[in-house]
Amino acid sequence: RLHGSALAAAAGAAVAFGALPPKLNPFIQPLMGSVRRETDAPLQARSAKSLASLIKLCVGRTPSPVSKIVGNVVALACADPAETPRAEWDDDAMAVAAAAAAAHEGPTESAIARRGAEACLLALCEVFGDALYEQVPRLWEAMSVPLAGVGESLGAAAAPPPKQAVVDACQLLRRVGARVAELNPGSGAPFAEAVKEKTLALLEPAFAKATAKDADPATQRAASAALAALAAATTSLLQSKHELHCVVGVDDFAVNVSYKKKSLVYLRADIKPALRVLTYASLPAAESREANRGAHVCEDDETTTTTTTPDVTNTRSGPSVFPASLLQSASSAAYVAARAALDDAAAGLNDATVSKKEEKERRAVALSHALRSSLQASFPDAHWHVAHDWRSNPLGVAPATSTTRALEITKDDFVYVAWRHASRPPGFFNALGLVAADRDTLTLARRSFLVVVLAYAMWFNSMCDPDGSAKMSEKEKQQRWSLRDAPLRSAEDPLTATLCAAAPRAAPFALVALTLMGGNYAMGLARRVAAHAAGRNARKSKKA
């Protein structure tokens, strides 16, 4: 490992000089090996940048190794089954792969290779800028040919792309396309509008292929992950004093939730297939007056419960709509209770031979009602939120950030997802409607307060006496000023005296505020230390 890191560092130094010899293998192999296998993330990122610079130096060479190098980087970026599902796998195979990745201590080899390849792709965006697709056509074809059927080397009678190529193209578009279309990039200059429009034009065919009726489970699972990311991005952009939930689905989906009045927003995008977005805020646990009110709408001063009816027919295996960490947080007792509730409700309906689509939908609504009622009775003191849709449709859910448990269960032709969350009671200032800012704004306000207090303290120490009177030397007392010499001098002395007198009175309040802020930071640090210790103990017990 040390030998490989040293060779990669030497190759990177040679690339930085900008003069390459006729034979490039002594430079390409160490850099590619570091991108593929380097476990140290900073060293791997440095090698990725050096490899991107090497690719730029090789653009004008004949023969050029650019296409082969970029092809290998693209293959590594799409080789991690945890991020890029295999088209030939079914749900069982994907579940086995996910379980193996979760049981592995630390990142897997494929995850390390994907991390390095993605760093190289982002470095290519920075190195080439607006000429990315022109000078690296292999990257553009890897995205455009499977999705839109356009590319320089695509013939007129080309065969349909392999299904795995579509999944890989979606993964590349997720990484490279997001960087190209970024409005405020963290590093580097933004791309030209023409390059952005060229990239965004791939979103519509990608969405159509991911939600097609004949799409394979891997493609549909990637679509579910994309919808979950879209749901999370939606809640992050909304300014609200409440924690928000967001559900994104194709065509109609069904939800069975209790939400705070006037917080629900339902949007529909007129594309094919139609995209629907539902956002809402949940109630505090103390305000809950029911476990579930069933498949109907009922409003009072505090609570509203609603259920919508799905209207789609496709065929696919159930997707995974939650992050793996959130799914693993649910206990086995919750899964047992959920499965028993669905089985008991299905047996009670006594219509196992249902064949019509409308009857299946009504049956699924009844099962969703029974699932939420059972979970609410078994695990009270919080709300359970349930959504369901046909297994043939991708469904993305972004629950509130403080959600503690999540379940995903398939039953017959439907997938049922449930998560447990109760909003926190509003704080004093929130109750008065004085604070409705997001976390970043509050952090900026706290830091600004610290700066103001520090500057005020330094000014008081230099300009005021301990008793709150303004300092003035004998020379200043004897010096006379005229309005013509200093127009603001007449206001300076009264202002200084006022600020000096106000400082001792404001000091206790500032001390209390600083104490509360310090306690908040200390509690946050303690929570992080406790979480780190718990994770370390869990890894030790798993290893034992």
Side-chain angles (χ1 to χ4, degrees):
R1 174 186 171 185
L2 181 60
H3 179 68
S5 300
L7 290 178
V15 171
F17 282 105
L20 298 178
K23 294 184 179 181
L24 299 178
N25 284 337
F27 301 94
I28 297 176
Q29 291 180 356
L31 292 177
M32 282 297 301
S34 179
V35 168
R36 182 194 298 265
R37 291 181 290 270
E38 180 59 62
T39 56
D40 187 86
L43 293 179
Q44 189 182 43
R46 185 179 295 273
S47 299
K49 293 180 180 179
S50 299
L51 184 60
S53 301
L54 175 64
I55 293 173
K56 186 174 183 179
L57 294 175
C58 295
V59 168
R61 295 175 68 100
T62 304
S64 175
V66 172
S67 180
K68 184 176 181 180
I69 297 175
V70 174
N72 291 335
V73 172
V74 168
L76 292 178
C78 303
D80 185 7
E83 288 286 333
T84 311
R86 302 294 95 188
E88 66 273 10
W89 288 0
D90 55 9
D91 287 343
D92 295 336
M94 286 189 286
V96 171
H104 191 276
E105 185 174 357
T108 61
E109 294 182 0
S110 57
I112 294 174
R114 173 182 56 81
R115 183 183 63 189
E118 289 179 350
C120 185
L121 292 176
L122 295 180
L124 288 175
C125 296
E126 306 300 335
V127 169
F128 286 96
D130 295 336
L132 175 65
Y133 296 146
E134 296 178 1
Q135 298 186 6
V136 192
R138 178 68 178 84
L139 178 60
W140 169 249
E141 291 182 1
M143 295 188 297
S144 62
V145 172
L147 296 178
V150 294
E152 295 182 1
S153 62
L154 186 64
K163 293 182 177 180
Q164 186 60 47
V166 176
V167 179
D168 295 346
C170 292
Q171 177 70 9
L172 292 176
L173 184 62
R174 177 184 174 188
R175 298 302 183 190
V176 178
R179 171 61 186 89
V180 172
E182 195 172 2
L183 297 178
N184 298 309
S187 60
F191 282 76
E193 292 299 327
V195 182
K196 291 182 180 181
E197 292 177 359
K198 186 176 181 179
T199 305
L200 294 176
L202 298 177
L203 292 179
E204 185 174 354
F207 180 72
K209 287 183 177 292
T211 56
K213 294 181 179 181
D214 58 345
D216 55 276
T219 304
Q220 292 166 339
R221 181 174 180 178
S224 295
L227 292 183
L230 176 61
T234 301
T235 55
S236 65
L237 293 175
L238 295 177
Q239 295 286 342
S240 176
K241 61 183 179 182
H242 304 292
E243 289 187 293
L244 297 178
H245 307 263
C246 185
V247 184
V248 180
V250 177
D251 284 331
D252 286 336
F253 55 87
V255 297
N256 202 318
V257 299
S258 291
Y259 58 90
K260 187 175 289 292
K261 192 174 181 180
K262 298 181 181 180
S263 69
L264 187 141
V265 178
Y266 180 72
L267 303 175
R268 180 181 182 274
D270 290 330
I271 57 179
K272 293 183 179 180
L275 186 68
R276 288 172 169 81
V277 180
L278 177 72
T279 62
Y280 65 94
S282 60
L283 295 171
E287 298 183 27
S288 178
R289 299 182 182 177
E290 39 73 43
N292 185 12
R293 298 209 176 161
H296 63 278
V297 176
C298 179
E299 294 191 9
D300 56 20
D301 294 337
E302 301 289 348
T303 305
T304 304
T305 303
T306 182
T307 300
T308 61
T309 305
D311 186 18
V312 287
T313 52
N314 287 330
T315 56
R316 71 164 280 194
S317 299
S320 178
V321 301
F322 291 114
S325 59
L326 189 57
L327 285 174
Q328 294 172 359
S329 65
S331 61
S332 58
Y335 276 103
V336 171
R339 175 61 67 181
L342 291 176
D343 294 340
D344 293 345
L349 293 175
N350 195 21
D351 55 351
T353 59
V354 170
S355 58
K356 293 184 179 181
K357 169 188 164 185
E358 293 80 5
E359 295 176 351
K360 289 184 178 181
E361 292 169 355
R362 288 194 293 269
R363 184 172 182 269
V365 170
L367 293 181
S368 177
H369 169 70
L371 174 61
R372 184 164 181 258
S373 298
S374 176
L375 291 174
Q376 192 73 41
S378 301
F379 306 94
D381 300 330
H383 295 287
W384 278 93
H385 309 253
V386 178
H388 72 273
D389 201 354
W390 292 82
R391 298 176 66 184
S392 55
N393 287 330
L395 182 67
V397 179
T401 55
S402 59
T403 299
T404 55
R405 295 180 180 178
L407 305 172
E408 178 184 346
I409 298 178
T410 56
K411 178 70 174 178
D412 299 332
D413 296 327
F414 293 85
V415 57
Y416 300 85
V417 295
W419 62 101
R420 184 174 183 264
H421 176 266
S423 63
R424 300 186 183 96
F428 176 75
F429 293 103
N430 283 334
L432 296 179
L434 299 179
V435 177
D438 57 358
R439 184 185 299 273
D440 295 336
T441 303
L442 294 177
T443 301
L444 178 61
R446 288 194 294 266
R447 292 176 179 175
S448 301
F449 177 74
L450 290 175
V451 172
V452 170
V453 170
L454 179 61
Y456 196 5
M458 295 175 63
W459 179 88
F460 181 85
N461 185 52
S462 61
M463 298 295 295
C464 305
D465 291 325
D467 59 353
S469 60
K471 291 181 179 180
M472 185 175 296
S473 63
E474 293 296 332
K475 183 177 181 181
E476 291 176 342
K477 291 180 181 179
Q478 297 175 0
Q479 188 175 9
R480 294 181 179 272
W481 294 82
S482 63
L483 295 178
R484 182 175 58 83
D485 297 331
L488 298 180
R489 180 62 183 179
S490 60
E492 181 179 350
D493 291 340
L495 180 61
T496 302
T498 302
L499 292 177
C500 288
R505 297 181 177 88
F509 300 98
L511 181 61
V512 171
L514 292 174
T515 303
L516 293 176
M517 293 171 59
N520 187 19
Y521 283 119
M523 291 179 63
L525 179 62
R527 285 194 295 267
R528 288 193 292 270
V529 172
H532 177 73
R536 183 176 58 185
N537 293 335
R539 289 191 297 269
K540 288 183 178 180
S541 60
K542 182 184 296 185
K543 186 176 181 180

